[in-house]
Amino acid sequence: DAGVIQSPRHEVTEMGQEVTLRCKPISGHNSLFWYRQTMMRGLELLIYFNNNVPIDDSGMPEDRFSAKMPNASFSTLKIQPSEPRDSAVYFCASSKQWGGSNEQFFGPGTRLTVL
Amino acid sequence: GNSVTQMEGPVTLSEEAFLTINCTYTATGYPSLFWYVQYPGEGLQLLLKATKADDKGSNKGFEATYRKETTSFHLEKGSVQVSDSAVYFCALSDKAAGNKLTFGGGTRVLVKP
């Protein structure tokens, strides 16, 4: 199993530019989560999907952030326009909604730097 | 709501020392409990888990027991190695909350040779 795949691994952009982060969950998993990690705030849940439907986006910081899951194997997190305070590591994770212990599997993360 | 509290770090130890990281939780339902580990520059990896009271999770020499009476899930390892240097996160998952993980703030552990 390839695990959760995220791209790009590193992104450096300038303030005001649009940034799109991508995630491919583990096949068969029907829950997908986007997290942000910073030194100041730690690990924050931004949004999660069950069966491609957004369930809770209360963690999305503001309207500049949006996330989509057009199908079971792909999700994007978009920031438009980006700001320096968006610099962080963004993680995607997936799990099976039913059965088991709800274990989440994390991707390697995308390190975003906004100049 | 659900919450997880874990001891703040950093925790600095010598190799072969005993490690304990305290974790307590508040949950409205019957959560599953997890310890995740994050090595430098990597994503979080599941270290161990327990799904019901009195269960003991174990992996790589680490152990934690789900204590419902004290709402705790303390992580222990009898003899740490330099390679155990990482950030450790305690977390809970409540099915009533739709698989959402509630994380503690993380504890950085540094093991010196």
Side-chain angles (χ1 to χ4, degrees), chain A residues 64-105:
Chain A
R64 297 184 298 105
F65 285 70
S66 62
K68 294 182 179 179
M69 191 164 186
N71 57 61
S73 59
F74 184 65
S75 177
T76 59
L77 178 67
K78 185 177 293 186
I79 308 172
Q80 166 63 19
S82 58
E83 296 183 4
R85 59 194 167 117
D86 302 330
S87 298
V89 181
Y90 291 81
F91 290 105
C92 176
S94 71
S95 71
K96 291 183 181 179
Q97 183 181 8
W98 305 116
S101 58
N102 306 336
E103 173 185 344
Q104 290 185 19
F105 294 80

Side-chain angles (χ1 to χ4, degrees), chain B residues 37-107:
Chain B
V37 58
Q38 184 178 30
Y39 299 105
E42 298 184 10
L44 279 71
Q45 304 173 25
L46 180 68
L47 180 59
L48 53 83
K49 64 185 179 186
T51 58
K52 62 183 186 297
D54 299 325
D55 270 1
K56 177 186 283 188
S58 61
N59 186 27
K60 299 182 181 179
F62 289 90
E63 292 183 341
T65 301
Y66 189 144
R67 300 287 188 199
K68 190 169 179 228
E69 63 277 11
T70 54
T71 61
S72 65
F73 192 54
H74 305 321
L75 182 69
E76 297 181 337
K77 185 172 184 180
S79 177
V80 293
Q81 306 299 313
V82 173
S83 57
D84 294 324
S85 298
V87 181
Y88 294 81
F89 292 91
C90 185
L92 72 82
S93 174
D94 185 348
K95 288 182 180 176
N99 271 12
K100 263 173 52 169
L101 276 177
T102 302
F103 283 94
T107 302

